[in-house]
Amino acid sequence: MKRLVKKVAKALWRGTLPIRRPFLHKFESYLSRCLRPTEQLLSDETNTLMEHVVRELVRLQRQVDYLQQTVEELAPESEKLAIAGEIAPAEKLRAG
C-alpha cells in the first residue's frame, strides 16, 4: 500500500513540473534581484570600515612614536631605558 501511494505521489509531482518551472524561475530571479544590492552594500561597508581601522592604526602609531620620543628626551643619558631585546648580551642581569 505504501509503495502504491509513493508511486502516485511521485507521478503527480513529476506531472506538475511544467507548472512549477515558471514559478521557480520567477522566484529565483526575485531572490537574485533582492540579494545583489545587499552584496554591493556589504562590500562598500567593509571598505569604509577598513579605511577607518587603518586611519585609527596610523593615529595610534604616531601617538606611540611621540610618547617614545618624549620618554627618550626626558630620560638622562646615564639612565637610558633599554627596550627588551636591545640589552647587550655581555651585560649580566641581576635580580633584586
Side-chain angles (χ1 to χ4, degrees):
M1 182 69 183
K2 197 173 188 181
R3 279 189 272 167
L4 180 63
V5 171
K6 280 187 176 181
K7 284 183 181 181
V8 170
K10 283 184 181 182
L12 287 173
W13 181 252
R14 287 186 197 128
T16 60
L17 183 63
I19 298 170
R20 285 184 289 135
R21 190 177 297 138
F23 289 113
L24 289 175
H25 179 69
K26 286 180 183 180
F27 182 68
E28 287 176 2
S29 63
Y30 171 75
L31 282 180
S32 66
R33 281 194 317 266
C34 290
L35 294 177
R36 267 190 214 126
T38 304
E39 292 170 356
Q40 183 64 31
L41 289 174
L42 284 177
S43 66
D44 290 344
E45 185 176 323
T46 303
N47 290 337
T48 305
L49 180 66
M50 290 303 292
E51 288 174 8
H52 287 295
V53 168
V54 168
R55 282 189 199 131
E56 184 66 14
L57 182 64
V58 168
R59 185 187 70 79
L60 290 173
Q61 184 61 45
R62 284 182 184 165
Q63 194 172 17
V64 166
D65 290 341
Y66 173 74
L67 290 172
Q68 184 178 4
Q69 182 183 3
T70 305
V71 167
E72 288 174 357
E73 288 173 358
L74 293 175
E77 200 62 36
S78 62
E79 298 177 13
K80 196 71 169 172
L81 299 175
I83 298 174
E86 291 183 359
I87 300 174
E91 296 178 29
K92 290 188 177 184
L93 300 177
R94 286 182 275 156

